[in-house]
Amino acid sequence: MSVPTSAADREHLAEALRIARETLADGNKPFGAVLVAADGRVLATGRNTAAQTGDPTSHAELDAVRAVAPADRGAVVGATMFASGEPCPMCAAALVWSGVARIVFGTAAADIRAVTPGPPGFRLRCAEVVASSDATIEVVGPALGDEGLQPFRELPAR
């Protein structure tokens, strides 16, 4: 099941999914992110590089936040994070601290876990992490349906 989104949301989610597919080709789990300022400018993109770097915190959302040019740092406040997969608790907390106003994700973490073997994870949802903060952030998703799960189905068996 997916939630309704705008044409601009679907465009940015499609880009996040394209990036996710690239990360899969590089040997990483397929997560991609696009950070968009309130005025519609793309501030940065990010990709999961945990397998390449050996750093388990190398998640797409954190990569995008870190990639914002110093001159655009202020534009992160009020921005929207588009993520191919539901941000984990670590990334959700970082997005709260970064000041984003909106998080739009393509595929729910529970659906990803259902098709992907891997290390232990969390049942705590992105919206629950955000709701436990004192920030007002809109969380929208899952918005891609089965299309967002496809890259995870392509992961090699471990």
Side-chain angles (χ1 to χ4, degrees):
M1 183 171 105
S2 60
V3 297
T5 54
S6 70
D9 286 353
R10 287 188 298 276
E11 180 181 321
H12 294 305
L13 278 174
E15 177 63 8
L17 188 56
R18 185 193 67 72
I19 294 166
R21 287 186 181 109
E22 285 180 358
T23 69
L24 178 62
D26 291 338
N28 296 287
K29 285 196 176 178
F31 291 98
V34 179
L35 184 58
V36 178
D39 65 9
R41 288 179 302 123
V42 173
L43 296 170
T45 62
R47 61 192 61 237
N48 175 16
T49 59
Q52 288 170 304
T53 64
D55 179 355
T57 68
S58 294
H59 290 198
E61 300 89 343
L62 295 179
D63 189 44
V65 170
R66 290 176 183 137
V68 173
D72 278 335
R73 287 274 175 213
V76 174
V77 175
T80 298
M81 176 61 76
F82 293 91
S84 61
E86 182 174 2
C88 72
M90 174 185 69
C91 290
L95 295 173
V96 168
W97 290 319
S98 297
V100 302
R102 193 166 175 250
I103 300 168
V104 180
F105 66 89
T107 306
D111 294 337
I112 293 168
R113 277 193 304 279
V115 300
T116 307
F122 291 87
R123 287 191 261 323
L124 190 61
R125 305 279 317 266
C126 175
E128 293 170 324
V129 174
V130 169
S132 71
S133 75
D134 58 4
T136 302
I137 300 172
E138 179 185 15
V139 178
V140 178
L144 287 176
D146 196 57
E147 177 187 13
L149 273 177
Q150 193 55 43
F152 291 95
R153 291 189 174 108
E154 296 171 21
L155 280 168
R158 302 215 161 143

